[in-house]
Amino acid sequence: MAVAELGTVVLDCPDPRALASFYAEVLGGTVETEGEAEWVDLRLPDGRALAFQAAPGHVPPKWPAPDGSQQFHLDLTVEDLDAAEKEVLALGATVLEAADRGRGWRVYADPAGHPFCLCAC
């Protein structure tokens, strides 16, 4: 029997509203803020949430880095890798690994530097 269930994944970042807006364009959903916007929720169309927390001293993870850690990454499933890549790059993502275009995933960083993969379904 499980002790808990996963609630919300929270990303530290310098600008929660901006990063929530980036992921709203990528995943859909509604950006919800309260007060000073130190914490911003993205309510996804399926009811799940992704949250963003202000971290003024945020240092983006390095990927890949033999002397550091990527900390975590998101795998985002898409139907067309080429089309999805064009869209995330236009929204401000950057390519982290472009070596092997023949495999079923590609690695990027969001505007705050968190790694994520677009994965073909």
Side-chain angles (χ1 to χ4, degrees):
M1 179 172 184
V3 173
E5 65 180 51
L6 180 64
T8 302
V9 173
V10 182
L11 300 170
D12 283 358
C13 59
D15 186 344
R17 186 171 289 141
L19 196 57
S21 295
F22 169 82
Y23 279 105
E25 291 292 328
V26 174
L27 299 170
T30 304
V31 175
E32 300 175 356
T33 61
E34 292 184 26
E36 298 294 315
E38 296 291 318
W39 181 282
V40 177
D41 288 315
L42 173 59
R43 297 285 171 204
L44 300 173
D46 67 2
R48 291 183 289 167
L50 186 59
F52 307 88
Q53 177 174 284
H58 174 69
V59 176
K62 294 189 179 2
W63 190 95
D67 61 343
S69 168
Q70 68 174 306
Q71 300 171 17
F72 82 100
H73 73 272
L74 300 172
D75 283 344
L76 308 177
T77 304
V78 299
E79 290 185 24
D80 183 329
L81 280 172
D82 292 329
E85 177 178 73
K86 286 179 186 175
E87 291 188 44
V88 298
L89 292 176
L91 292 168
T94 55
V95 175
L96 289 180
E97 184 178 276
D100 185 356
R101 308 291 288 173
R103 62 184 184 206
W105 75 93
R106 298 179 187 166
V107 185
Y108 307 87
D110 67 25
H114 303 103
F116 70 95
C117 296
L118 295 178
C119 303
C121 56

